């Protein structure tokens, strides 16, 4: 039980996917202009990351390892992730067209999101069991959502002020992201490894 | 007798020493009186006399239009010279009736008073409406409408506003000192009209003589005099209700939602005149003051007196005039000149010279948060102003911009000199326009 | 090798079947032309057409609510392409540009009070009808410049708005934003304009502005038919055959401007060279 909690908190805060591992920067910068959109994206990523990690785990241990096809790991995982993202896209387009419009190009880009692939591969590398994989990917996805929503809130506030012309837009966003990353470094040492 | 004050607010110097001890003087009639058709909140009045007709003092010259409206009465006897657009204290040219006095100041016939006990509640309301009485504290809301709350709202407390928290203004102060009986009579009429047992008269601490005087007068009545700590805007409706009886008016709500009706002392005195003497609202006390004036005074002015005339009566301008305010320095309307004339709600005319009022350089917002601490309505002026500047009206509405009472505390306290009230007014105007369209 | 191909192949097939079924269940109707339409549009999302962005315009076109020529920034080119996709006739819109009908900057026009507050024309207008004595003149606080999606409006150092005839696409956003209604839409081919917006009598205008129209009628007399005097204000009749050029040097207050000779004083725009918009030019003989 404690082990699982450590894995969860570690993935959520200490080794935050975006702010400590620096994976998934593309949607982090692209979808964080408004808090609502960031939250929507975060929900989509939680779903994709968790299901993809679990399915990939099964694929690794019951197909690839069984037939000695470990070298196909990257391609197989991408196949799983791509299919899942397509599914999520279709559902979102039907259920919430507004969210679909606001996410725009970033929804299919979850496929190429290194964070999703990264977490799937990391679960295998760390030789986690099934339950541990679930907790690990939930924690990582939660951390991703947390970082995005915090960042979106910061960006909304920063844009209200008189940002110098040369810093407006992406520049000040990157500076803010760096500062947020520094803040999260404060969690280092909370959980070992 | 002290009670808890509201959160926020500011402490400007009160500058009342210029006129606090000066007895109210009568103001000589000017060469012409300009009476705008809208001196109140609500629909403009419709003229009911022709150009060229002779009218008597107190005669109805424009009738109210609809329920939320008030009529206009001739402030003196004379001739209606014209009905044309004239400069209003709000800065735009609006339709007004120009009355040239004949010097006789003769009251109209048939203005009969009655003892309030002889009249029914509806009679009293009709007379108040017929007298064209509006809130004399400055908001100018038609009094008869305020005294007709819907059945569902049960009123149990009447609060009378003798606070006069604006710096420089001493009109209500002098009214209470010199005509306290009239004020008390009006309070009693209102109290019986509303059928309430509890009436509270709130007066700010910086008027100890008025507090003592009214306290003595009210000893034989159920009216309770409450001395309130000095803080601007103690005289604002919602803040006064909280300080006087501890009730909080909900966001977007009105005093009647907490069972309260608030009236100004001047309005109470006008109600007394309307019932006892049958006289409509034709005059009011106005404090003409400021360092840019030769001789500050409290004047009893006829409604419609040109601001230039008031300045002349007070000895004229002194030094280089840089700012003219109709009302108090916190919420008064800046004037581009002395072209406009006093309306029912003009409680003061302030003239400032270059030593007292200068252009203030504007700096950037440093998020110091002083405006948030100072706001008596507990909203965040800096956030709403930022949204207002970026035209993000939805976000401004979500941040409760409509709760703003435009008291001016935020602009006053801002160290960068930012025009916060202007940004808030812009946002509120945009939200109101949007609501009207839907 | 074979096992690799088989494994991936089977996985792919499974995913394809699952997606195919899901696609049928979660199908959303979209017109393929919509995407094609958005592709040919300028993409500025300026709203000149009256619809929310280029996407909104595309939807309105397909619903039959909008016309191909409604996109003024796109001009003839976009109207033709849109018409082609929809399979209808293209009607080229008359190209228009916005002009600020005022030259009264703070050196030439008087103010009734010193304004302190938000540098926004709408906010300033709310205070006693604006700081300028002239009821119709440009307030120079830059609201129009901020609203222009194409960066076509500049504010001179002396507080006057000037619109670049080259950059203006006729989207009309500035016209709506100006509280004084001093910006007017004019045909692109018209080079001469009377830059004044005050209907006050000549004597009154003279008191508050050095360069306002005093309705002396000299322009109408010099070029009969080219000018219309309406309520103490002269205006060029853009449809008239008579050229308004002759009257330009005769105007006593110099309020008539020939834009081929240059923009109002203080502007940094270079004088326009005819034709202004290459895409709207007639083919050379």
């Amino acid at each position: 039980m404690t082990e699982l909690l450590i894995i969860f908190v570690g993935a959520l805060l200490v080794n935050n996917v975006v702010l400590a591992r620096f994976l998934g920067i593309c949607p982090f910068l692209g979808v964080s202009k408004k808090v609502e959109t960031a939250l929507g994206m975060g929900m989509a990523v939680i779903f994709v990351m968790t299901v993809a990690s679990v399915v990939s785990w099964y694929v690794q241990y019951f197909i690839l390892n069984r037939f000695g096809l470990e070298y196909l790991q990257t391609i197989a995982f991408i196949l799983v992730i791509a299919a899942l993202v397509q599914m999520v896209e279709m559902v979102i387009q039907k259920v919430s067209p507004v969210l679909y419009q606001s996410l725009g190009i970033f929804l299919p880009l979850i496929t190429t999101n290194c964070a999703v692939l990264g977490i799937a591969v990391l679960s295998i590398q760390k030789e986690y069991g099934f339950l541990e994989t679930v907790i690990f990917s939930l924690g990582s996805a939660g951390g991703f959502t947390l970082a995005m929503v915090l960042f979106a809130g910061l960006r909304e506030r920063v844009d209200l002020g008189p940002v110098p012309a040369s810093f407006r837009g992406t520049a000040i966003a990157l500076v803010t992201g760096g500062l947020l990353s520094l803040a999260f470094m404060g969690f280092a040492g909370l959980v070992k490894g | 007798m002290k009670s808890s004050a509201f959160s926020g607010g500011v402490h400007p110097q009160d500058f009342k020493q210029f006129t606090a001890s000066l007895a109210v003087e009568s103001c000589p009639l000017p060469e012409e009186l300009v009476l705008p058709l809208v001196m109140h909140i609500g629909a403009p009045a419709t003229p009911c006399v022709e150009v060229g007709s002779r009218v008597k003092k107190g005669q109805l010259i424009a009738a109210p239009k609809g329920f939320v409206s008030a009529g206009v009465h001739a402030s003196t006897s004379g001739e209606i010279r014209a009905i044309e657009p004239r400069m209003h204290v709000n800065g735009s040219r609006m339709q007004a009736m120009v009355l040239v006095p004949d010097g006789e100041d003769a009251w109209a016939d048939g203005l009969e008073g009655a003892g309030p006990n002889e009249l029914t509640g509806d009679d009293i309301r009709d007379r108040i409406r017929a007298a064209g009485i509006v809130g004399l504290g400055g908001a100018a809301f038609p009094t008869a409408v305020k005294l007709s709350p819907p059945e569902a709202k049960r009123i149990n407390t009447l609060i009378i506003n003798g606070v006069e928290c604006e710096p420089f203004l001493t009109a209500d102060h002098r009214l209470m000192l010199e005509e306290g009986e009239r004020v008390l009579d009006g309070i009693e009429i209102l109290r019986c009209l509303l059928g309430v047992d509890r009436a509270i008269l709130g007066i700010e601490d910086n008027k100890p003589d008025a507090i003592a005087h009214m306290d003595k007068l009210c000893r034989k009545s159920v009216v309770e005099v409450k001395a309130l700590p000095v803080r601007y805007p103690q005289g604002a409706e919602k803040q006064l209700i909280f300080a006087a009886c501890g009730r909080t008016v909900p966001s977007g709500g009105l005093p009647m939602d907490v069972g309260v009706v608030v009236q100004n002392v001047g309005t109470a005195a006008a109600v007394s005149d309307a019932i006892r003497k049958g006289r409509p609202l034709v005059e009011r006390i106005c404090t003409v003051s400021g360092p840019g004036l030769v001789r500050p005074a409290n004047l009893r002015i006829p409604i419609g007196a040109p601001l230039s005339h008031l300045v002349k009566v007070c000895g004229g301008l002194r030094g280089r005039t840089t700012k003219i305010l109709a009302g108090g320095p916190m919420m008064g309307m800046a004037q581009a000149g002395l072209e406009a004339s006093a309306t029912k709600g003009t409680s003061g005319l302030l003239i400032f010279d270059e030593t007292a009022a200068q252009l203030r350089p504007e700096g950037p917002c440093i998020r110091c948060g002083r405006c948030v601490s100072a706001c008596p309505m507990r909203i965040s002026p800096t956030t709403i102003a930022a949204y207002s500047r970026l035209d993000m009206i939805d976000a401004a509405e979500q941040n409760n911009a409509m709760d703003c009472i435009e008291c001016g505390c935020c602009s006053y306290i801002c160290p960068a000199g930012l025009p916060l009230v202007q940004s808030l007014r812009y946002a509120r105007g945009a939200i109101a326009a949007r609501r009207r369209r839907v | 090798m074979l096992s690799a191909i088989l494994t991936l192949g089977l996985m792919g097939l499974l995913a394809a079947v699952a997606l195919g079924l899901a696609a049928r269940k979660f199908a959303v109707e979209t017109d393929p032309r919509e995407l094609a339409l958005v592709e040919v549009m300028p993409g500025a999302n300026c709203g000149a057409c009256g619809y929310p962005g280029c996407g909104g315009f595309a939807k309105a076109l397909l619903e039959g609510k909008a016309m191909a020529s409604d996109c003024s920034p796109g001009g003839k080119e976009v109207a033709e392409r849109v018409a082609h996709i929809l399979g209808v006739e293209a009607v080229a819109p008359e190209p228009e540009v916005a002009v600020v009908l005022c030259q009264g900057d703070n050196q030439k026009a008087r103010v009734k009070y010193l304004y302190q507050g938000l540098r926004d024309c709408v906010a300033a207008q709310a205070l006693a009808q604006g700081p300028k004595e002239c009821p119709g003149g440009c307030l120079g606080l830059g609201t129009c410049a901020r609203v222009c999606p194409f960066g076509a409006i500049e504010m001179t150092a002396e507080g006057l708005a000037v619109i670049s005839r080259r950059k203006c696409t006729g989207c009309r956003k500035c016209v709506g934003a100006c509280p004084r209604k001093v910006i007017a839409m004019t045909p692109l081919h018209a080079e001469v304009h009377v830059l004044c917006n005050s209907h006050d009598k000549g004597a009154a205008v003279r008191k508050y502005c050095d360069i306002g129209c005093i309705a002396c009628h000299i322009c109408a007399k010099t070029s009969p038919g080219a000018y219309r005097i309406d309520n103490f204000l002269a205006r060029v009749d853009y449809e008239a055959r008579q050229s308004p050029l002759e009257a330009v040097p005769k105007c006593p207050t110099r309020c008539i401007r020939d834009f081929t000779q240059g923009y109002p004083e203080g502007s940094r725009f270079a004088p326009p060279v005819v034709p202004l918009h290459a895409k709207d030019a007639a083919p050379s003989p």
Side-chain angles (χ1 to χ4, degrees):
Chain A
M1 194 58 219
T2 338
E3 267 298 311
L4 290 176
L5 190 65
I6 290 175
I7 293 177
F8 185 76
V9 172
L12 185 79
L13 296 174
V14 183
N15 289 314
N16 187 288
V17 140
V18 178
L19 299 172
R21 293 195 203 270
F22 301 112
L23 298 172
I25 303 292
C26 174
F28 182 66
L29 285 177
V31 193
S32 55
K33 280 239 172 81
K34 284 182 73 178
V35 177
E36 289 94 39
T37 334
L39 201 56
M41 177 63 146
M43 295 294 122
V45 167
I46 289 181
F47 177 75
V48 172
M49 204 181 264
T50 317
V51 178
S53 289
V54 167
V55 175
S56 308
W57 189 88
Y58 271 114
V59 166
Q60 178 75 30
Y61 284 111
F62 290 103
I63 301 177
L64 298 179
N65 283 7
R66 181 91 75 80
F67 299 109
L69 298 167
E70 292 87 349
Y71 59 91
L72 285 181
Q73 185 186 58
T74 314
I75 297 183
F77 283 16
I78 290 288
L79 198 142
V80 170
I81 295 169
L84 272 168
V85 172
Q86 273 296 94
M87 194 83 65
V88 169
E89 239 197 280
M90 277 187 253
V91 173
I92 290 185
Q93 192 177 16
K94 186 79 175 194
V95 165
S96 172
V98 178
L99 182 63
Y100 183 75
Q101 286 281 43
S102 51
L103 287 177
I105 194 72
F106 289 99
L107 196 51
L109 276 178
I110 302 179
T111 317
T112 54
N113 188 345
C114 43
V116 182
L117 181 63
I119 296 304
V121 168
L122 271 171
S123 317
I124 308 301
Q125 275 184 8
K126 288 180 190 269
E127 293 179 356
Y128 281 148
F130 176 73
L131 193 59
E132 287 155 331
T133 308
V134 174
I135 300 295
F136 179 62
S137 46
L138 267 175
S140 302
F144 181 81
T145 309
L146 178 71
M148 278 241 298
V149 169
L150 283 174
F151 190 56
L154 280 172
R155 276 187 89 173
E156 272 190 8
R157 276 304 196 93
V158 165
D159 284 334
L160 285 183
V163 180
S166 46
F167 271 87
R168 260 175 230 158
T170 317
I172 197 71
L174 285 169
V175 171
T176 314
L179 288 169
L180 185 60
S181 194
L182 266 177
F184 266 65
M185 288 291 154
F187 289 118
L190 188 70
V191 164
K192 276 215 172 65
Chain B
M1 277 217 287
K2 282 207 199 284
S3 39
S4 56
F6 52 93
S7 71
V10 291
H11 292 271
Q13 234 190 306
D14 72 22
F15 292 111
K16 301 212 189 228
Q17 65 272 22
F18 295 110
T19 52
S21 48
L22 298 177
V24 176
E25 299 167 28
S26 64
C27 175
L29 286 170
E31 277 171 21
E32 72 173 17
L33 290 165
V34 179
L35 294 138
L37 293 176
V38 58
M39 294 195 265
H40 52 269
I41 294 178
T46 333
C48 55
V49 292
E50 307 255 307
V51 172
S53 30
R54 304 210 68 101
V55 294
K56 288 272 175 78
K57 185 168 177 174
Q59 182 178 339
L60 183 74
I61 55 176
K65 188 166 169 207
F67 184 50
V68 184
S69 184
V72 179
H73 297 79
S75 315
T76 186
S77 55
E79 182 198 329
I80 302 289
R81 192 58 66 82
I83 305 177
E84 59 188 18
R86 283 296 187 102
M87 184 59 85
H88 194 284
V89 282
N90 69 9
S92 40
R93 302 202 92 82
M94 301 188 94
Q95 201 73 343
M97 310 198 56
V98 182
L99 169 63
V100 175
D102 58 11
E104 279 162 44
D105 207 35
W107 279 99
D109 307 313
L111 293 175
E112 267 173 42
N117 304 324
E118 302 156 20
L119 302 166
T120 66
D122 282 332
D123 278 336
I124 296 182
R125 276 193 197 97
D126 287 339
R127 283 175 187 240
I128 292 175
R129 184 179 157 83
I133 298 179
V134 299
L136 292 182
F141 189 78
T143 306
V145 178
K146 215 183 214 185
L147 294 170
S148 319
E151 279 292 316
K153 308 280 180 190
R154 309 216 137 244
I155 308 296
N156 54 33
T157 311
L158 171 68
I159 298 181
I160 301 295
N161 192 345
V163 174
E164 200 162 46
C165 50
E166 283 260 21
F168 285 98
L169 302 188
T170 53
D172 289 345
H173 183 184
R174 294 311 307 180
L175 176 71
M176 286 189 284
L177 272 179
E178 297 172 33
E179 296 169 47
E181 291 85 0
R182 239 175 93 218
V183 172
L184 181 56
D185 187 48
I187 298 176
E188 274 301 307
I189 295 173
L190 290 170
R191 195 182 64 78
C192 296
L193 174 63
L194 290 167
V196 299
D197 294 323
R198 200 175 166 206
I200 305 170
L201 169 59
I203 308 178
E204 240 182 8
D205 241 322
N206 54 10
K207 301 183 243 299
D209 47 0
I211 296 173
H213 182 73
M214 289 310 292
D215 199 38
K216 202 169 74 179
L217 284 177
C218 294
R219 220 160 272 172
K220 291 182 223 100
S221 70
V222 303
V223 180
E224 190 193 328
V225 174
K226 255 202 165 120
L228 301 172
V230 178
R231 202 197 294 192
Y232 179 84
Q234 183 63 275
E237 228 172 28
K238 296 178 183 167
Q239 280 62 39
L240 176 60
I241 293 172
F242 183 73
C245 58
R247 297 180 205 174
T248 312
V249 177
S251 165
L254 290 167
M256 62 168 140
D257 294 331
V258 291
V260 175
V261 166
V262 181
Q263 294 287 3
N264 177 267
V265 284
T267 315
V271 164
S272 167
D273 278 349
I275 304 299
R276 296 265 183 210
K277 300 184 190 150
R279 285 189 180 164
L281 180 62
V282 291
E283 62 182 23
R284 65 157 300 142
I285 302 177
C286 176
T287 305
V288 188
S289 183
L293 200 64
V294 170
R295 186 184 72 87
N298 295 302
L299 299 177
R300 190 183 310 275
I301 61 166
I303 310 277
L307 299 180
S308 51
H309 176 74
L310 301 180
V311 168
K312 205 169 72 174
V313 170
C314 289
L317 300 168
R318 189 171 61 167
R320 192 170 79 91
T321 308
T322 51
K323 199 153 181 96
I324 302 168
L325 284 165
M330 297 298 281
M331 287 183 77
M333 297 233 57
Q335 303 292 304
L338 290 168
E339 219 188 309
S341 22
T343 62
K344 291 178 183 174
T346 306
S347 43
L349 173 62
L350 302 176
I351 315 281
F352 295 91
D353 61 2
E354 57 200 337
T355 61
Q358 297 123 12
L359 283 175
R360 204 175 159 193
E362 214 179 284
C365 172
I366 55 171
R367 311 283 195 280
C368 67
R370 280 189 210 178
C371 56
V372 184
S373 315
C375 178
M377 294 306 291
R378 299 178 147 232
I379 59 177
S380 176
T382 178
T383 318
I384 302 173
Y387 286 130
S388 173
R389 275 195 293 272
L390 294 169
D391 256 312
M392 294 165 68
I393 306 299
D394 287 320
E397 193 174 354
Q398 270 162 19
N399 277 275
N400 298 316
M402 288 317 262
D403 277 347
C404 172
I405 55 174
E406 294 178 25
C407 65
C409 289
C410 49
S411 292
Y412 177 84
I413 206 85
C414 177
L418 288 167
L420 291 168
V421 178
Q422 193 181 18
S423 300
L424 276 147
R425 276 179 71 101
Y426 182 84
R428 284 159 56 80
I431 297 169
R434 207 178 273 204
R435 288 184 182 176
R436 269 197 300 272
R437 254 181 267 142
V438 171
Chain C
M1 182 89 259
L2 189 62
S3 51
I5 298 171
L6 267 173
T7 317
L8 278 179
L10 271 166
M11 279 173 69
L13 196 65
L14 228 104
V17 168
L19 281 173
L21 287 169
R24 208 157 296 176
K25 182 151 187 265
F26 291 104
V28 174
E29 283 294 322
T30 41
D31 197 322
R33 291 181 297 174
E34 198 175 316
L35 205 60
L37 282 171
V38 176
E39 283 251 296
V40 303
M41 285 177 197
N45 287 325
C46 67
C49 50
Y51 298 98
C54 299
F57 183 45
K59 280 206 181 69
L61 281 167
L62 290 169
E63 285 168 12
K65 282 195 206 150
M67 292 208 304
S69 49
D70 279 344
C71 175
S72 37
K76 209 165 68 165
E77 198 183 304
V78 169
E80 275 174 358
R81 290 210 191 131
V82 164
H84 178 74
I85 293 175
L86 293 173
V88 295
E89 278 287 317
V91 177
E94 164 86 64
E96 287 185 320
V97 284
V99 177
V100 176
L101 298 176
C102 180
Q103 287 187 103
D105 57 24
N106 57 26
Q107 299 296 307
K108 303 194 182 62
R110 314 284 101 71
V111 290
K112 47 170 135 76
Y113 62 81
L114 291 174
Y115 173 65
Q116 161 137 57
L118 295 172
R119 307 315 291 172
D120 179 65
C121 304
V122 177
Q125 178 73 358
L127 290 173
Q129 314 284 290
K132 237 181 176 157
E133 282 251 24
C134 171
C138 169
L139 291 173
L141 292 168
T143 302
C144 53
R146 277 192 289 275
V147 135
C148 177
F150 304 97
I153 308 183
E154 68 162 357
M155 305 306 298
T156 66
E158 280 81 36
L160 177 71
V162 181
I163 304 180
S164 161
R165 297 171 68 76
R166 212 180 288 272
K167 292 192 197 154
C168 177
T169 62
C171 77
R172 291 169 184 249
K173 272 219 148 114
C174 52
V175 177
C178 176
R180 291 209 144 200
K181 304 284 170 253
V182 75
I183 305 182
M185 296 309 294
T186 60
L188 184 54
H189 64 79
E191 303 286 357
V192 178
H193 303 283
V194 174
L195 296 183
C196 180
N197 194 33
S198 168
H199 285 279
D200 283 341
K201 289 195 188 142
V205 174
R206 266 232 159 86
K207 273 201 213 126
Y208 55 62
C209 185
D210 301 334
I211 200 167
C213 172
I214 53 171
C216 60
H217 286 67
I218 290 178
C219 52
K221 288 194 196 117
T222 315
S223 310
Y227 292 86
R228 263 186 356 259
I229 318 287
D230 174 35
N231 206 9
F232 305 105
L233 178 61
R235 282 262 189 271
V236 174
D237 186 348
Y238 301 119
E239 310 302 315
R241 288 235 198 91
Q242 170 83 353
S243 165
L245 273 171
E246 244 196 278
V248 175
K250 297 269 181 4
C251 173
T253 56
R254 298 254 174 281
C255 67
I256 312 178
R257 180 154 284 277
D258 173 9
F259 276 82
T260 56
Q261 300 305 308
Y263 285 90
E265 203 181 308
S267 167
R268 277 165 301 201
F269 294 140
V273 174
V274 176
L276 286 169
H277 292 246
K279 61 177 170 21
D280 296 306
S284 33

